[in-house]
DNA sequence: GTATTTGCAAAGTGTTTGCAGAATA
DNA sequence: TATTCTGCAAACACTTTGCAAATAC
């Protein structure tokens, strides 16, 4: 890792807008949603730029990325350091972080005993939150 | 579930071919791979039909479905009953089932205490298997 | 004989890339 | 000024759908 490119990363209004819009979102949003939201705001940003900005943020660990049911990527600015998992509402998209230490330890143990190296894990929990649950039935 | 459509599901050579090809695969395969494999075999099946057959198999619980890093769906005939998770080699695609009871219980507890209903979980473990690990470095 | 299934082609989705012009440092 | 960034349009990969012909029951 000695020759790692420093990633110049210039400051541009578009990138700032993406970060700001991301910060305004309580929950996970897709690149498309973010792009649409920025389009209505004063500072429109191209879809391509949104994707590129999100890639950089992902690479630098500033956003968490999950996949919804269709495989679409959803992004959220990371609040706490380290690994975090979420429970997503399938209906409204609301997310809440969950205590995943059990899973972390489990994944570590699998990595240690499986003969595999560089074991990574993805955990996605989805459900229907109280607000979205139909009262009847 | 009283009014569930019986799903006529006629017996066709194409569907049988998909199932057979799926059975021949030790590991997860994508619909595209399956289609390509069938194309080289004597009994070619249209890509559309492969997708539809896989959907039916998924609906009837005969295959497990995971997503690879790019969001592509991978299918594998289910051997054991119930829920099963796998550790996939990022390099060669080899899979091995892992003991996920810990995670199952964890997901259940989350479901019970979160206020969410119908909580489902997806767990994907990826790593590099012993055969694919470069010996040097 | 009738309803299902097939498979081609085309549409649809989310994402990535090529490239000329604009903007940053 | 030199390099990076932007953003449109087109390319891409995977998946789904429309519809006429073939097929299973």
């Amino acid at each position: 890792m000695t020759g790692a490119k420093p990633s110049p990363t210039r400051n541009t209004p578009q990138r700032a807008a993406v970060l700001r819009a991301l910060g305004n979102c309580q929950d996970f949003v897709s690149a498309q949603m973010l792009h649409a939201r920025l389009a209505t705001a004063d500072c429109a940003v191209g879809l391509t730029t949104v994707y590129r900005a999100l890639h950089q943020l992902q690479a630098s660990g500033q956003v968490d990325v999950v996949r919804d049911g269709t495989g679409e990527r959803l992004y959220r600015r990371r609040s706490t350091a380290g690994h975090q998992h979420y429970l997503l509402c399938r209906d409204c998209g609301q997310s809440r972080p969950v205590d995943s230490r059990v899973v972390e330890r489990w994944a570590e143990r699998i990595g240690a005993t499986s003969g595999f190296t560089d074991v990574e894990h993805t955990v996605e929990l989805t459900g229907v939150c109280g607000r979205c649950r139909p009262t009847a039935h």
Side-chain angles (χ1 to χ4, degrees), chain A:
Chain A
M1 304 299 190
T2 50
K5 205 68 170 301
S7 268
T9 311
R10 288 182 178 169
N11 268 345
T12 66
Q14 290 89 342
R15 211 166 284 175
V18 170
L19 243 178
R20 185 161 10 95
L22 207 51
N24 289 339
C25 296
Q26 292 298 321
D27 287 315
F28 282 89
V29 287
S30 67
Q32 308 275 349
M33 287 191 245
L34 219 45
H35 172 246
R37 188 169 306 199
L38 285 166
T40 63
D42 50 344
C43 45
V45 176
L47 181 57
T48 309
T49 304
V50 173
Y51 274 109
R52 284 193 276 232
L54 289 173
H55 279 188
Q56 293 177 347
L57 291 170
Q58 178 181 6
S60 60
Q62 294 178 73
V63 297
D64 286 319
V65 185
V66 302
R67 261 172 219 283
D68 71 2
T70 72
E72 189 178 12
R73 286 180 183 79
L74 301 179
Y75 302 85
R76 173 172 174 169
R77 210 149 103 174
R78 175 181 293 174
S79 47
T80 69
H83 207 68
Q84 182 63 57
H85 294 293
Y86 302 91
L87 173 56
L88 294 175
C89 175
R90 275 193 290 273
D91 227 35
C92 66
Q94 175 201 166
S95 72
R96 84 162 48 176
V98 295
D99 176 8
S100 57
R101 282 170 297 183
V102 172
V103 175
E104 305 295 333
R105 279 198 300 270
W106 171 77
E108 275 175 32
R109 193 167 56 245
I110 296 283
T113 62
S114 63
F116 281 53
T117 56
D118 298 316
V119 172
E120 296 173 1
H121 64 279
T122 304
V123 176
E124 279 156 38
L125 288 170
T126 60
V128 180
C129 75
R131 281 205 302 275
C132 291
R133 184 180 199 184
T135 49
H137 176 215

